[in-house]
Amino acid sequence: MTISVNQLEEARRALEAPLFADLAGDAAVSFEFFPPKTEKMEEALWETVRTLEPFAPEFVSVTYGAGGTTRDRTHATVARIERETSMPAAAHLTCVEASRGEIDEIAEQYWAAGVRHIVALRGDAPGAGGFVPHADGYTNAADLVAGLKRLHPFEISVAAYPECHPDSKGHSDDLDNLKRKLDAGATRGITQFFFEPETFFRFRDRAAAAGIDAPMVPGIMPVTNFQSIVKMSAMCGTEVPAWMGRLFEGLEDHAGARGLIAATLAAELCRKLYAGDVRNFHFYTLNRAELSFAICHLLGLRAKTAAKAAAA
């Protein structure tokens, strides 16, 4: 990894106290939500949406359940965000258990609703059987990207894996797959979450060495429930550092303390990434605003009120 003078200066500042003093506010952010299952969850989601909207994110994405289980709710949520907010909405779309015709129809509905950004994913099949392409479906994410591009000039984000997708044979195989998705027409990669900045920097170096020059946006997951994140990490191949487990020991009945530690760890990760010349961050919000809001604020971003936004 080649270190620039600017990066060295940022590294020096990152080691000085206070850690977040006088950042330039030049970071760009995006947020991920999931479609609500109940009326109460929908109210909570929209409170989160309205709380984070003043940060003027580059886009916000809405997930798509395994096997299309949230298809209608995803579409309704994406369409409402596009219709009622100032934030560009991105819809997750997968290859799982659907024909090309069915997926193309969903994409056409998004285009008709004004949605111009798709997060194209292979997806994981429900259960433990692993991914099996539909007989008449898209075979993988690169195939899906190419199909979407044939329909309309969508902006397309795809998944990237700093620690390798669980189904890949290794880093080289993983990067080849990422390159196929980008060559098919994807705009950027959004990474799986990770917990140490060196994980992202090593991935970024490998991608550059493989000739990948598209933006790679780190996915940031604030950890509020350690046991849940351990299970999730095991499924997606993310290493959970031993020191993190020790930090959350004894906090099972202290939700407030867990939140403070989660914000501290995620903010420190973002600050170290910022020192390494990262300026784009994608937050997995879990439909909660407070942690992402605090981290954005620490990074020098300021939420604009409606009046200020209109005057800008």
Side-chain angles (χ1 to χ4, degrees), residues 12 50 124-125 127 143 149 162 206 210 230 274 285-286 296-297:
R12 182 190 65 77
R50 293 304 186 189
D124 297 311
D143 192 23
K149 281 293 190 180
R206 289 194 301 269
V230 167
Y274 185 95
T285 70
L286 301 180
C296 288
H297 193 89

Side-chain angles (χ1 to χ4, degrees), residues 142-204:
D143 192 23
L144 175 58
V145 171
L148 292 170
K149 281 293 190 180
R150 282 193 293 269
L151 293 176
H152 295 289
F154 283 109
E155 177 182 357
I156 300 178
S157 297
V158 293
Y161 295 87
E163 296 170 90
C164 288
H165 189 281
D167 293 347
S168 74
K169 299 174 183 177
H171 290 306
S172 178
D173 181 62
D174 213 48
L175 289 171
D176 286 345
N177 186 49
L178 175 59
K179 196 168 189 305
R180 282 191 292 270
K181 292 186 283 188
L182 295 166
D183 289 345
T187 307
R188 70 176 62 76
I190 301 173
T191 78
Q192 183 59 269
F193 63 86
F194 55 92
F195 298 114
E196 297 186 299
E198 293 79 8
T199 301
F200 179 80
F201 294 140
R202 286 193 293 266
F203 163 72
R204 187 175 64 179

Side-chain angles (χ1 to χ4, degrees), residues 10 73 117:
E10 279 296 335
R73 286 185 281 120
H117 188 170

Side-chain angles (χ1 to χ4, degrees), residues 6 37 56 80 125 134 168 264:
N6 286 342
K37 295 180 180 179
R80 185 178 172 188
H134 187 283
S168 74
T264 299

Side-chain angles (χ1 to χ4, degrees), residues 1-14 274-277 279:
M1 176 179 176
T2 302
I3 304 295
S4 69
V5 173
N6 286 342
Q7 286 175 289
L8 287 171
E9 175 62 17
E10 279 296 335
R12 182 190 65 77
R13 291 183 63 198
Y274 185 95
D277 211 25
R279 292 296 182 273

Side-chain angles (χ1 to χ4, degrees), residues 6-312:
N6 286 342
Q7 286 175 289
L8 287 171
E9 175 62 17
E10 279 296 335
R12 182 190 65 77
R13 291 183 63 198
L15 293 172
E16 292 179 347
L19 188 61
F20 295 94
D22 299 323
L23 294 186
D26 56 345
V29 296
S30 53
F31 303 111
E32 179 183 289
F33 308 123
F34 62 84
K37 295 180 180 179
T38 65
E39 185 175 330
K40 184 176 181 180
M41 291 174 71
E42 183 164 2
E43 291 175 1
L45 167 62
W46 281 93
E47 181 178 352
T48 295
V49 167
R50 293 304 186 189
T51 299
L52 295 175
E53 183 179 8
F55 283 113
E58 292 203 325
F59 64 91
V60 297
S61 66
V62 181
T63 62
Y64 191 82
T69 53
T70 67
R71 181 181 301 171
D72 293 340
R73 286 185 281 120
T74 296
H75 186 277
T77 303
V78 170
R80 185 178 172 188
I81 289 172
E82 187 66 34
R83 186 174 62 248
E84 297 183 16
T85 79
S86 60
M87 302 181 293
H92 286 221
L93 195 55
T94 77
C95 306
V96 177
E97 296 187 348
S99 68
R100 287 173 180 257
E102 290 171 320
I103 292 172
D104 290 355
E105 181 180 355
I106 295 167
E108 290 287 7
Q109 291 171 356
Y110 280 127
W111 188 267
V115 177
R116 298 294 183 262
H117 188 170
I118 300 289
V119 180
L121 308 165
R122 188 199 72 177
D124 297 311
F131 176 77
V132 178
H134 187 283
D136 298 316
Y138 290 106
T139 56
N140 52 45
D143 192 23
L144 175 58
V145 171
L148 292 170
K149 281 293 190 180
R150 282 193 293 269
L151 293 176
H152 295 289
F154 283 109
E155 177 182 357
I156 300 178
S157 297
V158 293
Y161 295 87
E163 296 170 90
C164 288
H165 189 281
D167 293 347
S168 74
K169 299 174 183 177
H171 290 306
S172 178
D173 181 62
D174 213 48
L175 289 171
D176 286 345
N177 186 49
L178 175 59
K179 196 168 189 305
R180 282 191 292 270
K181 292 186 283 188
L182 295 166
D183 289 345
T187 307
R188 70 176 62 76
I190 301 173
T191 78
Q192 183 59 269
F193 63 86
F194 55 92
F195 298 114
E196 297 186 299
E198 293 79 8
T199 301
F200 179 80
F201 294 140
R202 286 193 293 266
F203 163 72
R204 187 175 64 179
D205 288 348
R206 289 194 301 269
I212 294 173
D213 58 5
M216 292 293 119
V217 181
I220 307 299
M221 174 77 82
V223 179
T224 54
N225 185 315
F226 183 72
Q227 293 307 317
S228 293
I229 210 68
V230 167
K231 293 177 183 177
M232 196 182 307
S233 298
M235 290 189 291
C236 64
T238 296
E239 182 178 351
V240 180
W243 57 259
M244 183 176 286
R246 292 191 291 272
L247 278 177
F248 282 95
E249 282 179 3
L251 296 179
E252 292 78 9
D253 298 323
H254 300 279
R258 289 201 310 271
L260 288 171
I261 291 174
T264 299
L265 294 181
E268 182 180 283
L269 173 61
C270 290
R271 183 63 182 90
K272 290 179 177 178
L273 292 170
Y274 185 95
D277 211 25
V278 174
R279 292 296 182 273
N280 292 79
F281 301 88
H282 184 73
F283 291 96
Y284 300 112
T285 70
L286 301 180
N287 289 8
R288 292 180 229 163
E290 63 278 1
L291 293 181
S292 297
F293 191 103
I295 296 164
C296 288
H297 193 89
L298 286 168
L299 287 172
L301 302 178
R302 294 295 178 264
K304 295 182 179 180
T305 64
K308 288 181 179 178

